[in-house]
Amino acid sequence: MPQQPSEHAFLPLLTATGDSLVIADFHPRRQKAPRRRTTPYHRLFAIPGTRAFTVGNLLARLPMGMFSVSAVIMIAGSRGSYALAGAVTATGLAATALVAPWTARLVDRHGQARIAVPTTAFALLGSIALLLCVRLGAPDWTLFAAYAATATTPNTGGMSRARWAHLLRDDPAAAHTANSFEQAADELCFMLGPVCAAFLCGTFFPEAGTLVAGVLMMTGVLIFAAQRSTEPPPQPRTPSKSPLLAPGMPPLLLCFLATGAVFGSMEVVTIAFADAQGHRSAAGAVLALQAAGSCVAGLLYGARKPTGPAERRHPLCLAAMTALLTLPLLAASLTGSLTALAGALLLAGAATAPTMVTGMALVQRRTPEGRLNEGMTLAVTGLLGGIACGSASGGWVVEHVSATAGYGVPVAAAGSALAISLAISPALSRLRAR
């Protein structure tokens, strides 16, 4: 049996050459393992439990981009009325804006797992009721009632951000990376969701999109809620006042309202522009490019350490978004080409994610302790309200002027958000200094 070499086998050899003493060391050399280069995202997901709750959250969040498209296809195909389909989805949007903050308040008080699972189950019943009403030819009013019941769907993106805020409360740089990842995930889900919905409804049967979205949502929430180790502790009794009354929050929510108008108007105007060019079916792909640009920008933004306070970065991000949104207007008015518009939207999307990430960081900072889910849900509610206003404004301009002129609406909305941010920036900086 071969013997392992002992330490004596590698004694140094001493010899003299001229007037010099030479020492030869025969110990085996150990090569240093190459250092692995890690990104901020590697370090983020090295935290125990973060991968599991992220997988569940992504599964639950993807249906958010599927439900409205699936409902429109399902209702319009069955009842032959896009007006009815639009009215039903608008009712669901309005109901969500009213109910979501109350659901988020319950999440803060009683914990994510205790509230998210039953409220998601109730929303799933609403989706199934809508599917059955459409399938069985129930009266139109039942569609409104069924879709309104889906308003109890919890804000899974907000709950995920709350977990990151809890885990990274002492590491602002990592929290910035986490917020950037969450924004990129939002863009990815709203980019893939409509495509998945259209594919399912067109390939199988009109109700397939709603059915699959419901299953994914429930499965994702169950996986997410099962990760109890990363869940923020509930705050059953908190003396904190409502985030809506917190210093600096009302103007911030106005800023989110104006930002939401950018998204709502851009969607309607782009569909109208593509339709005017005879390529309405390509509108979804063109809009997906804007989301793709935002997704990539969000990941790159999160990989870099933020420079300066969020109060200073927010107006700069909005200024960049306002400037880049002039590109679709120029592409539509000067070329009239859908291809040129697609490239312009890809570039315009680059400022969206940094703006949203910085805005959400300000919301988290201004939200009172123990009400984080409620604060972020109020921001999402502001966005939803802005989307509805932007859709109406963009549709009016398209109807009464032209689809090309409609691209002025998102520019005006972004400019309004910039003006609000510039106006409140000194006040937010003073609040931060306290």
Side-chain angles (χ1 to χ4, degrees):
M1 182 175 179
Q3 299 293 322
Q4 295 293 328
S6 66
E7 287 291 325
H8 299 289
F10 300 109
L11 290 173
L13 175 65
L14 305 178
T15 186
T17 59
D19 58 353
S20 300
L21 177 65
V22 178
I23 302 176
D25 187 359
F26 293 101
H27 278 87
R29 298 293 184 260
R30 294 180 181 178
Q31 293 185 351
K32 291 184 178 180
R35 179 180 291 181
R36 294 180 60 186
R37 296 183 63 184
T38 59
T39 67
Y41 294 103
H42 283 107
R43 294 190 289 273
L44 198 67
F45 289 104
I47 301 172
T50 55
R51 295 184 184 183
F53 85 70
T54 298
V55 169
N57 188 265
L58 290 176
L59 279 177
R61 210 186 304 189
L62 179 62
M64 298 301 104
M66 297 175 63
F67 277 121
S68 59
V69 174
S70 299
V72 168
I73 295 174
M74 182 172 62
I75 296 170
S78 173
R79 305 297 170 94
S81 173
Y82 278 98
L84 175 63
V88 170
T89 54
T91 300
L93 188 67
T96 299
L98 292 173
V99 174
W102 295 96
T103 304
R105 183 176 298 181
L106 291 174
V107 168
D108 283 327
R109 288 182 178 178
H110 303 288
Q112 294 183 351
R114 289 186 62 187
I115 301 301
V117 173
T119 55
T120 301
F122 189 86
L124 179 60
L125 291 177
S127 296
I128 294 173
L130 176 68
L131 188 152
L132 293 175
C133 289
V134 172
R135 188 76 173 177
L136 301 175
D140 290 349
W141 68 265
T142 62
L143 307 183
F144 290 91
Y147 204 65
T150 64
T152 61
T153 305
N155 178 15
T156 51
M159 290 193 297
S160 185
R161 287 179 172 92
R163 291 198 179 210
W164 288 119
H166 169 65
L167 294 171
L168 306 172
R169 54 190 177 276
D170 299 323
D171 192 345
H176 166 75
T177 302
N179 282 331
S180 299
F181 171 79
E182 290 298 326
Q183 186 59 39
D186 276 342
E187 301 293 346
L188 182 65
C189 291
F190 279 100
M191 180 174 62
L192 296 179
V195 176
C196 294
F199 171 77
L200 290 168
C201 295
T203 305
F204 299 101
F205 48 91
E207 297 84 4
T210 300
L211 191 61
V212 172
V215 172
L216 285 174
M217 180 179 68
M218 194 71 241
T219 303
V221 168
L222 288 172
I223 294 173
F224 179 83
Q227 315 309 315
R228 305 300 290 267
S229 63
T230 54
E231 182 179 351
Q235 303 288 335
R237 293 181 180 178
T238 174
S240 304
K241 55 188 174 182
S242 170
L244 195 59
L245 303 176
M249 275 293 281
L252 260 180
L253 297 179
L254 279 178
C255 206
F256 273 90
L257 186 73
T259 306
V262 173
F263 307 143
S265 58
M266 187 67 77
E267 182 174 347
V268 171
V269 173
T270 300
I271 292 173
F273 185 85
D275 193 17
Q277 302 297 314
H279 300 287
R280 186 175 185 179
S281 59
V286 173
L287 285 169
L289 284 174
Q290 183 187 10
S294 181
C295 180
V296 172
L299 292 174
L300 293 175
Y301 187 65
R304 299 188 61 183
K305 188 176 180 180
T307 56
E311 291 82 1
R312 190 180 305 162
R313 285 183 280 120
H314 193 236
L316 294 176
C317 291
L318 281 169
M321 186 167 74
T322 305
L324 289 176
L325 282 173
T326 61
L327 296 178
L329 177 61
L330 292 173
S333 57
L334 297 179
T335 69
S337 166
L338 193 61
T339 303
L341 176 67
L345 286 174
L346 178 65
L347 293 174
T352 301
T355 301
M356 291 297 300
V357 169
T358 310
M360 280 295 185
L362 288 174
V363 168
Q364 291 178 14
R365 197 166 293 166
R366 299 267 63 85
T367 299
E369 186 178 356
R371 316 274 304 247
L372 189 55
N373 282 291
E374 185 180 352
M376 287 188 291
T377 301
L378 284 171
V380 173
T381 301
L383 281 174
L384 292 177
I387 290 171
C389 294
S391 298
S393 302
W396 188 91
V397 173
V398 166
E399 187 75 21
H400 292 85
V401 188
S402 67
T404 299
Y407 281 106
V409 177
V411 177
S416 300
L418 174 60
I420 296 170
S421 181
L422 288 171
I424 67 174
S425 183
L428 291 178
S429 296
R430 286 194 297 270
L431 289 170
R432 179 177 178 271
R434 290 180 182 177

